[in-house]
C-alpha cells in the first residue's frame, strides 16, 4: 500500500515534470497562431510538407524525389502531434517578396537518371500530392466540379504529375508539373494599416521549357516563359515528359490579389462546405431515432411506475404472489458479474475517453484550436488523455469496491495498462510497417520513448492517485440486498439471446452517426478539409442519448424475463456500435478507396481496429452507466422485505 506522503510527492512532481516535458517537445500554442503583419518587400518563405497519396496512404518526404533543393534543408520545430502524424515541414527554394509580382522565376534544372525517373513515374502512378504552406496556410488548388458558374472547391495540394498520350503514339507517358503559378491573397486592415496573408493558391502546369545558349542558372532566358517577350505559361500543350536523360526545368510565378476576407476569417473559404443539408439531415435523423425510443421508454416508465405503486400499496396481501418479472430478481440483480475487474477497467477507461473527447470538442468550438495544424489537435487530445487518467482510476476503483474488491493497487495497475498496452502494441506494429516502407510518417524512436514516458511516468501515476482516492470513498450503496444463493434463470426466447440483443442494440445508435462518419473517414483518408466540431458535438450528444435509451430499454426487457446478468450485457449492447463502425469502414474502403499495396490495406485495417476498439469502450461505458442508473432507481423505489 502506498503511503500518503508518497502520493503527495506524486501530486507535486507530476505537473512539474509534465510542464518540462511539454516545453521540451515544443507543445502546442493553445490560443492558435498569431497573425503576422507584412510590409511590401518582406520575405515570404514557402515551406514544403510530405507528399501524400490516397492510394498508398504512405506519406513520403518531399526531398526524397528529384525536386529542387535549397542550399540547406531546415526542419521546422514540431510539436508531438505533428510528429505522430508525420506532418513535417521543411524550407523550400520557392521564395517571394510581399507585393512584388514575379514571373517565370527559375528554381533549378535537373537531369533525370534512371533511379529518379523511375521514382517520379511510380509516384505519379500512385497519384501523390504535393503539399506546401505559407504563413501557416496550406497550399490549395481551386477547381470547379461543374461548369463556369459553379463555386470553387479547394483541393488540398496538387498532383505532382499526370499520365497521358501523344496524338501520334499509343504508349502511355508520364508528365510532371514543373511550373507553379502561385496566387497569394492578402487583406489590408485600414484601421491598423497592416497587410496579412489570407489565401495561398496554385495552378500547376507541365511545360517543356526551352532556352538558347548556355545554361546560366537562374539568369537563363527561357523562350517558353519570358515576361520580357510576353511568353507566359497559360496551359500544358507542350508538357514535360518524365524519362531517363530528360532535362526538367522548374519555374514558378507569384501573383497577388487583394481580398475582402479578414485574417480571422481566412479559413472560412477552405472549410466552407456545400453539404450543410447533409449534416442537418444526419442530425434530424438522429433526433427522430431519439423520439421513437423516448416514446417506447415513456410507455416502459409508465408501466414501471404503475407496478411500483401497486406493489408498494399492497400492505395486507401476500407480496410473494404479486412479485413478477423484474421484481422477482431483486436479490440477484446487483450480484457482482464474472470478470468484474475487466468491466471496471473498461468503464474507467471509457470515462477517460469521454473526458478527452468532450474537452477537445469544447476547446475546438471555442476557437482555441487552430485548423492550421492538425498536430495541435492530436497534442491536445494527448494532454487531455493524460489528465483524465485521474477520472479513469477513480471510477474503476469505485466500481471495484462496490464489487467487493479489496486490492486497489491491482485494479489501478489494470486500468493504467490494459487499454494503453493494446493500443501501443498495434501502433508499434503499424509504425514498423511504415519504417519498412521508408515512409515519412514513421514516428522516430525518441518520440516513441516520449510516449512511453507520458504513459508510464505521468498517466499511470495519475491513475494510481485516482484509484487511491476512489477506493478511500465509501462503497456505492446497493438499493437491495444480494441473496447468498443464485436464482435460476428461466430459459430465454431466441430473440433475447446475447447475440440478438447485441446486434439490435448497436444498429439504431449507429444509424444516427453513419452520415457524419463518412465525412470523418473522407477527411482522414482522402485528405479533405473537415473542421466542423459543432456538427460533431450535436451528433455525439445524439449518439450518447440513443445509446443510453436503447440500453435502458433492452435492460428492462432482460430484467422482465428474470435474467439478472445485465452488467456486461449493458456494456456490450451499446458498445456493439463499434462493430457496425468497423463494418462500415470496410464498406467505405471497398467503395471509396483505391489502395494498391498490401501494406496500405494492413495500415487501414489496423488504424480502424484501434478506432473501433476505442469507440467500443466509449459507447459501452455510456450504456453501462445508463443501465446502472436505471436499475438503482427502480429497485430503490420498491419496498422489499
Amino acid at each position: 500500500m502506498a503511503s500518503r506522503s508518497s502520493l503527495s510527492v506524486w501530486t507535486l512532481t507530476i505537473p512539474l515534470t509534465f510542464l518540462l516535458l511539454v516545453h521540451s517537445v515544443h507543445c502546442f500554442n493553445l490560443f492558435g497562431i498569431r497573425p503576422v503583419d507584412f510590409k511590401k518587400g518582406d520575405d515570404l518563405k514557402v515551406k514544403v510538407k510530405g507528399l501524400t497519396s490516397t492510394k498508398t496512404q504512405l506519406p513520403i518526404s518531399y526531398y526524397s524525389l528529384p525536386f529542387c533543393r535549397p542550399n540547406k534543408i531546415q526542419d521546422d520545430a514540431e510539436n508531438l502531434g505533428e510528429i505522430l502524424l508525420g506532418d513535417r515541414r521543411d524550407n523550400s527554394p520557392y521564395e517571394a517578396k510581399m507585393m512584388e509580382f514575379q514571373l517565370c522565376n527559375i528554381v533549378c534544372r535537373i537531369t533525370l537518371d534512371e533511379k529518379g525517373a523511375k521514382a517520379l513515374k511510380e509516384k505519379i502512378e500512385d497519384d501523390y500530392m504535393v503539399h506546401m504552406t505559407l504563413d501557416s496556410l496550406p497550399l490549395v488548388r481551386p477547381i470547379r466540379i461543374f461548369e463556369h458558374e459553379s463555386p470553387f472547391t479547394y483541393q488540398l495540394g496538387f498532383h505532382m504529375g499526370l499520365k497521358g498520350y501523344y496524338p501520334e503514339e499509343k504508349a502511355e507517358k508520364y508528365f510532371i508539373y514543373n511550373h507553379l503559378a502561385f496566387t497569394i491573397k492578402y487583406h489590408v486592415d485600414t484601421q491598423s494599416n497592416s497587410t496579412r496573408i489570407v489565401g495561398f493558391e496554385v495552378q500547376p502546369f507541365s511545360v517543356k521549357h526551352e532556352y538558347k545558349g548556355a545554361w546560366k542558372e537562374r539568369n537563363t532566358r527561357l523562350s517558353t516563359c519570358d515576361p520580357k517577350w510576353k511568353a507566359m505559361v497559360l496551359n500544358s500543350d507542350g508538357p514535360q515528359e518524365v524519362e531517363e536523360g530528360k532535362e526538367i526545368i522548374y519555374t514558378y510565378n507569384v501573383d497577388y490579389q487583394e481580398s475582402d476576407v479578414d485574417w480571422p476569417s481566412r479559413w472560412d473559404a477552405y472549410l466552407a462546405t456545400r453539404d450543410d443539408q447533409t449534416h442537418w439531415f444526419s442530425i434530424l435523423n438522429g433526433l427522430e431515432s431519439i423520439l421513437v425510443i423516448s416514446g417506447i421508454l415513456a410507455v416502459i416508465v409508465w408501466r414501471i411506475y404503475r407496478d411500483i405503486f401497486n406493489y408498494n400499496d399492497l400492505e395486507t396481501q401476500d407480496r410473494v404472489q404479486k412479485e413478477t418479472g423484474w421484481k422477482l430478481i431483486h436479490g440477484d440483480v446487483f450480484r457482482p458479474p464474472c470478470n468484474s475487474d475487466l468491466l471496471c477497467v473498461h468503464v474507467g477507461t471509457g470515462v477517460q475517453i469521454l473526458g478527452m473527447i468532450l474537452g477537445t470538442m469544447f476547446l475546438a468550438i471555442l476557437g482555441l484550436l487552430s485548423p492550421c495544424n492538425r498536430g495541435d489537435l492530436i497534442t491536445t487530445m494527448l494532454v487531455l488523455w493524460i489528465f483524465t487518467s485521474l477520472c479513469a482510476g477513480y471510477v474503476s476503483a469505485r466500481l471495484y469496491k462496490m464489487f467487493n474488491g479489496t486490492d486497489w493497487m491491482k485494479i489501478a495497475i489494470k486500468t493504467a495498462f490494459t487499454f494503453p498496452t493494446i493500443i501501443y502494441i498495434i501502433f508499434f506494429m503499424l509504425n514498423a510497417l511504415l519504417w519498412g516502407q521508408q515512409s515519412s510518417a514513421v514516428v522516430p524512436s525518441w518520440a516513441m520513448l516520449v510516449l512511453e514516458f507520458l504513459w508510464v511516468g505521468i498517466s499511470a501515476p495519475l491513475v494510481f492517485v485516482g484509484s487511491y482516492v476512489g477506493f478511500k470513498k465509501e462503497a456505492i450503496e446497493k438499493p437491495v440486498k444480494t441473496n447468498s444463493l443464485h436464482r435460476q434463470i428461466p430459459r430465454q426466447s431466441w430473440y433475447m439471446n446475447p447475440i440478438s440483443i447485441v446486434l439490435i442494440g448497436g444498429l439504431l445508435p449507429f444509424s444516427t452517426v453513419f452520415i457524419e462518419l463518412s465525412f470523418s473517414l473522407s477527411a482522414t483518408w482522402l485528405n479533405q478539409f473537415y473542421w466542423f466540431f459543432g456538427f460533431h458535438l450535436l451528433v455525439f450528444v445524439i449518439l450518447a442519448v440513443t445509446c443510453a435509451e436503447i440500453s435502458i430499454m433492452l435492460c428492462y426487457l432482460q430484467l422482465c424475463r428474470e435474467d439478472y446478468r445485465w452488467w456486461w450485457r449493458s456494456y456490450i449492447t451499446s458498445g456493439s456500435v463499434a462493430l457496425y463502425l468497423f463494418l462500415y469502414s470496410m464498406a467505405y474502403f471497398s467503395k471509396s478507396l483505391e489502395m494498391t499495396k498490401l501494406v496500405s490495406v494492413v495500415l487501414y485495417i489496423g488504424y480502424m481496429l484501434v478506432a473501433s476498439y476505442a469507440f467500443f469502450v466509449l459507447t459501452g461505458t455510456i450504456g453501462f452507466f445508463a443501465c446502472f442508473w436505471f436499475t438503482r432507481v427502480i429497485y430503490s423505489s420498491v419496498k422489499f422485505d
Side-chain angles (χ1 to χ4, degrees):
M1 300 290 286
S3 63
R4 292 183 179 270
S5 60
S6 62
L7 289 174
S8 63
V9 171
W10 278 352
T11 56
L12 289 175
T13 57
I14 287 172
L16 295 176
T17 306
F18 184 73
L19 289 175
L20 291 174
L21 178 63
V22 166
H23 178 73
S24 66
V25 297
H26 310 285
C27 192
F28 67 103
N29 179 4
L30 184 62
F31 296 95
I33 296 177
R34 294 180 179 180
V36 179
D37 296 330
F38 294 95
K39 297 180 181 179
K40 185 176 182 180
D42 285 349
D43 291 332
L44 302 179
K45 303 294 184 180
V46 177
K47 298 174 182 179
V48 294
K49 303 174 69 174
L51 279 69
T52 62
S53 168
T54 57
K55 284 188 175 182
T56 67
Q57 298 296 333
L58 298 172
I60 61 173
S61 172
Y62 180 85
Y63 292 116
S64 64
L65 296 175
F67 292 136
C68 300
R69 297 168 173 257
N71 295 329
K72 183 180 179 181
I73 299 176
Q74 297 177 339
D75 294 335
D76 264 10
E78 300 164 319
N79 60 46
L80 189 56
E82 289 178 304
I83 295 171
L84 295 178
L85 289 172
D87 196 10
R88 301 163 191 175
R89 290 167 290 185
D90 302 317
N91 60 324
S92 78
Y94 295 97
E95 298 178 353
K97 300 270 186 193
M98 188 64 184
M99 301 299 297
E100 294 184 7
F101 297 88
Q102 300 180 18
L103 302 177
C104 300
N105 278 10
I106 297 176
V107 186
C108 74
R109 178 185 65 168
I110 291 178
T111 301
L112 294 178
D113 55 12
E114 180 182 0
K115 181 179 179 181
K118 181 181 178 181
L120 288 179
K121 288 180 180 180
E122 289 178 350
K123 300 307 179 286
I124 293 174
E125 180 71 30
D126 290 333
D127 288 341
Y128 268 87
M129 306 278 291
V130 180
H131 300 282
M132 300 181 180
T133 62
L134 176 66
D135 189 32
S136 299
L137 271 180
L139 178 67
V140 294
R141 181 183 181 183
I143 56 175
R144 280 193 172 99
I145 299 179
F146 302 106
E147 295 299 328
H148 301 288
E149 296 183 358
S150 64
F152 281 111
T153 59
Y154 290 98
Q155 179 187 74
L156 186 60
F158 62 93
H159 286 93
M160 61 176 293
L162 72 160
K163 296 183 293 182
Y165 299 87
Y166 287 119
E168 65 278 3
E169 298 181 8
K170 295 183 179 180
E172 190 175 50
K173 301 292 183 179
Y174 295 85
F175 305 97
I176 189 170
Y177 288 127
N178 60 323
H179 178 81
L180 304 179
F182 295 115
T183 299
I184 299 175
K185 295 184 177 182
Y186 64 94
H187 176 76
V188 178
D189 190 341
T190 55
Q191 296 181 352
S192 60
N193 197 25
S194 59
T195 302
R196 296 171 179 173
I197 295 175
V198 295
F200 186 36
E201 301 175 359
V202 69
Q203 284 294 345
F205 300 94
S206 179
V207 183
K208 186 178 181 181
H209 285 302
E210 298 177 356
Y211 61 94
K212 296 181 180 179
W215 176 257
K216 300 178 182 178
E217 300 297 335
R218 297 194 175 188
N219 296 322
T220 305
R221 293 284 296 275
L222 302 176
S223 58
T224 50
C225 185
D226 190 344
K228 183 176 181 180
W229 298 103
K230 297 183 180 180
M232 305 297 297
V233 175
L234 300 176
N235 52 53
S236 298
D237 288 343
Q240 175 61 58
E241 184 181 348
V242 176
E243 199 63 55
E244 181 184 356
K246 293 286 185 178
E247 186 179 78
I248 301 178
I249 299 175
Y250 291 93
T251 57
Y252 68 99
N253 299 340
V254 181
D255 192 13
Y256 293 87
Q257 290 183 6
E258 187 171 2
S259 174
D260 295 332
V261 179
D262 57 359
W263 192 89
S265 305
R266 65 177 186 167
W267 273 91
D268 292 352
Y270 297 98
L271 302 179
T273 176
R274 295 186 299 277
D275 297 317
D276 285 350
Q277 293 182 352
T278 306
H279 291 288
W280 286 115
F281 174 78
S282 173
I283 293 173
L284 291 176
N285 175 61
L287 292 176
E288 289 176 0
S289 300
I290 289 178
L291 289 176
V292 171
I293 303 176
S294 298
I296 298 174
L297 283 180
V299 175
I300 292 175
V301 169
W302 175 81
R303 181 175 177 179
I304 293 174
Y305 173 78
R306 186 189 61 183
D307 288 350
I308 293 175
F309 178 80
N310 293 335
Y311 184 85
N312 291 337
D313 195 48
L314 295 174
E315 296 294 340
T316 60
Q317 300 182 34
D318 186 6
R319 290 189 174 183
V320 176
Q321 296 179 357
K322 295 296 182 179
E323 288 185 0
T324 58
W326 58 272
K327 297 184 290 295
L328 280 172
I329 57 174
H330 64 84
D332 297 272
V333 73
F334 288 100
R335 188 181 304 280
C338 299
N339 299 316
S340 59
D341 288 7
L342 188 61
L343 180 62
C344 295
V345 168
H346 278 76
V347 171
T349 304
V351 171
Q352 186 176 7
I353 296 176
L354 180 63
M356 177 190 69
I357 291 177
L358 291 179
T360 303
M361 287 186 177
F362 179 73
L363 293 175
I365 291 174
L366 291 181
L368 300 181
L369 292 178
S370 172
C372 299
N373 190 349
R374 292 188 303 167
D376 290 352
L377 178 65
I378 300 299
T379 307
T380 303
M381 295 177 68
L382 187 60
V383 172
L384 291 174
W385 169 266
I386 290 172
F387 283 110
T388 50
S389 299
L390 280 167
C391 302
Y394 179 85
V395 172
S396 61
R398 292 278 285 161
L399 286 176
Y400 176 72
K401 190 172 184 178
M402 186 186 69
F403 292 147
N404 304 322
T406 57
D407 188 0
W408 72 271
M409 289 285 288
K410 181 180 73 172
I411 198 63
I413 292 173
K414 290 182 177 181
T415 304
F417 292 98
T418 300
F419 180 82
T421 299
I422 296 173
I423 301 300
Y424 187 84
I425 290 174
I426 298 176
F427 181 73
F428 182 84
M429 295 173 63
L430 297 179
N431 195 57
L433 289 177
L434 291 172
W435 178 81
Q437 295 295 314
Q438 298 181 345
S439 171
S440 62
V442 174
V443 178
S445 56
W446 70 264
M448 297 293 287
L449 291 175
V450 169
L451 286 177
E452 292 175 7
F453 176 77
L454 291 173
W455 171 22
V456 179
I458 302 178
S459 178
L462 287 176
V463 171
F464 277 80
V465 173
S467 296
Y468 178 81
V469 174
F471 198 79
K472 287 297 181 182
K473 295 282 186 178
E474 292 293 331
I476 300 175
E477 185 179 355
K478 300 175 183 178
V480 290
K481 295 181 180 180
T482 301
N483 296 333
S484 57
L485 298 178
H486 291 259
R487 181 184 179 86
Q488 185 176 0
I489 300 174
R491 186 176 180 180
Q492 301 295 307
S493 304
W494 65 268
Y495 55 85
M496 288 302 297
N497 68 70
I499 296 178
S500 300
I501 292 296
V502 166
L503 293 179
I504 295 173
L507 183 59
L508 191 58
F510 176 77
S511 67
T512 65
V513 299
F514 79 96
I515 296 177
E516 207 68 23
L517 180 62
S518 65
F519 288 99
S520 299
L521 290 175
S522 297
T524 303
W525 299 104
L526 295 179
N527 292 322
Q528 296 181 3
F529 287 116
Y530 189 70
W531 197 262
F532 304 107
F533 283 95
F535 285 116
H536 262 332
L537 181 60
L538 288 175
V539 173
F540 179 77
V541 171
I542 291 173
L543 171 66
V545 173
T546 308
C547 284
E549 289 186 339
I550 197 71
S551 298
I552 291 174
M553 184 177 68
L554 294 177
C555 180
Y556 174 73
L557 294 177
Q558 179 183 348
L559 296 178
C560 286
R561 283 157 179 78
E562 303 176 26
D563 187 352
Y564 52 83
R565 299 168 300 182
W566 65 272
W567 296 99
W568 271 110
R569 187 82 62 87
S570 64
Y571 191 96
I572 299 176
T573 296
S574 57
S576 64
V577 182
L579 173 63
Y580 292 98
L581 184 151
F582 184 76
L583 294 176
Y584 180 82
S585 68
M586 294 299 103
Y588 179 86
F589 169 80
S590 61
K591 182 180 179 180
S592 302
L593 300 180
E594 299 179 1
M595 295 186 181
T596 56
K597 294 185 178 182
L598 178 61
V599 174
S600 304
V601 176
V602 174
L603 288 171
Y604 179 85
I605 294 176
Y607 285 125
M608 292 312 303
L609 279 174
V610 170
S612 300
Y613 179 41
F615 207 66
F616 167 76
V617 175
L618 171 64
T619 54
T621 300
I622 294 173
F624 171 83
F625 276 116
C627 290
F628 183 54
W629 170 81
F630 172 73
T631 53
R632 285 181 58 83
V633 168
I634 63 174
Y635 282 99
S636 61
S637 302
V638 178
K639 301 175 182 178
F640 293 107
D641 292 333

